[in-house]
Amino acid sequence: MHLLRSVVNRLRIPLSPSQIAAFDVYRRELVAAGARAGLTALRDPEAIDRRHFGEPLALLRALDDAGCFGSPAIDIGTGAGFPGLPIKIARPDLRLTLLEATGKKIAFLRRTVELLRLDGVTVIQGRAEEIAHDPAHRAAYALALARAVAPLRVLVELALPFVQMGGVLATPKGSAAPREAREAAAALAACGGRIVAMTPLEVPAGAPAPTLVIVRKVAPTPDRYPRRVGIPSRRPL
Ligand code: SAH
């Protein structure tokens, strides 16, 4: 598709014909099943390319430029696979865990991963508050991704427990990024994070440029975090 090609050219992300074909399949699945299952409000292929493919690939570009891309990665609250799956298509070597609470979305993810024949992707149904206490996942990831899941102060508690020391949480934020960053000070101190970059993402013209917030894990997260399901958002740190 035309828009996707221009996006990857501008971002200098080389994609083979089979990778482009994988995006075509993913787009088709989203249009077909997406709206029905409440996976995405977007039906227009160009809007999908911009928001669901372009933005994650811009995130990949920014992480590469910052020297922060790493494997394994976990995408927390991935929904229909964003931003994790487009990044996986572009970087087949990435080991990726997709974490999502909702069963309908999990079914879509499993089907799509199978259809795209992606290796090294683990799909987990669960809540971050619980899975983050599983030793198989705690402090196990070089990179945590999350988009549109929670305000930064809440996300820090949900995501940093998954991150290895020295690894990062990377999350695109809208125009409220500076305020979210200020409000996250206590959560960052409690969970061992430090904001190391806030950079505008190079998204296709027309959309407001999101800000990528990169949080590095600089100290271990105490075992009591994240707190029980629902508490991080009801009583933010
Ligand atoms: N990241 C996707 C979806 C955003 S909607 C995108 O950008 O398109 C937020 C998603 O996070 C929903 O699918 C919701 O089920 C999931 N979610 C919210 N809180 C969660 C939690 N604590 N653990 C796991 N998934 C969660």
Side-chain angles (χ1 to χ4, degrees):
M1 178 131 325
H2 180 72
L3 181 64
L4 179 63
R5 280 182 200 282
S6 71
V7 167
V8 297
N9 288 343
R10 198 172 30 78
L11 290 170
R12 292 160 284 120
I13 295 178
L15 294 182
S16 68
S18 71
Q19 286 169 306
I20 293 281
F23 279 108
D24 290 341
V25 170
Y26 194 0
R27 186 189 303 105
R28 199 188 61 214
E29 286 302 297
L30 278 168
V31 172
R36 194 172 57 237
L39 294 171
T40 173
L42 304 179
R43 316 230 44 179
D44 165 29
E46 291 226 338
I48 289 177
D49 280 16
R50 208 173 282 125
R51 165 92 175 138
H52 291 326
F53 300 162
E55 190 185 290
L57 294 175
L59 195 160
L60 171 60
R61 162 53 55 216
L63 283 175
D64 263 345
D65 289 349
C68 288
F69 186 72
S71 181
I74 182 167
D75 185 2
I76 298 162
T78 189
F82 308 114
L85 266 191
I87 292 175
K88 169 68 184 176
I89 294 172
R91 286 295 161 82
D93 291 344
L94 176 66
R95 278 184 294 137
L96 176 66
T97 297
L98 299 173
L99 175 62
E100 170 54 48
T102 310
K104 262 197 315 200
K105 296 179 181 183
I106 288 290
F108 174 85
L109 290 168
R110 291 196 199 286
R111 202 168 58 241
T112 304
V113 166
E114 176 128 344
L115 210 56
L116 297 178
R117 300 183 205 287
L118 295 171
D119 292 328
V121 179
T122 307
V123 178
I124 299 181
Q125 179 170 10
R127 301 276 312 193
E129 293 94 323
E130 291 170 339
I131 305 296
H133 290 286
D134 178 337
H137 297 284
R138 193 158 185 102
Y141 296 92
L143 172 63
L145 302 164
R147 182 179 80 172
V149 173
L152 187 64
R153 65 195 297 187
V154 176
L155 189 60
V156 159
E157 178 175 357
L158 295 178
L160 276 182
F162 287 101
V163 178
Q164 300 162 350
M165 279 289 290
V168 301
L169 158 65
T171 181
K173 287 290 178 187
S175 54
R179 180 172 48 80
E180 287 197 36
R182 279 196 306 277
E183 291 174 355
L188 288 163
C191 296
R194 182 189 299 148
I195 295 175
V196 291
M198 290 183 56
T199 52
L201 288 179
E202 265 186 76
V203 291
T211 299
L212 178 63
V213 179
I214 303 180
V215 176
R216 190 174 297 283
K217 181 142 162 183
V218 294
T221 306
D223 287 344
R224 63 181 176 282
Y225 301 121
R227 291 165 293 166
R228 290 196 323 281
V229 170
I231 303 293
S233 58
R234 273 208 299 283
R235 291 197 282 114
L237 293 169

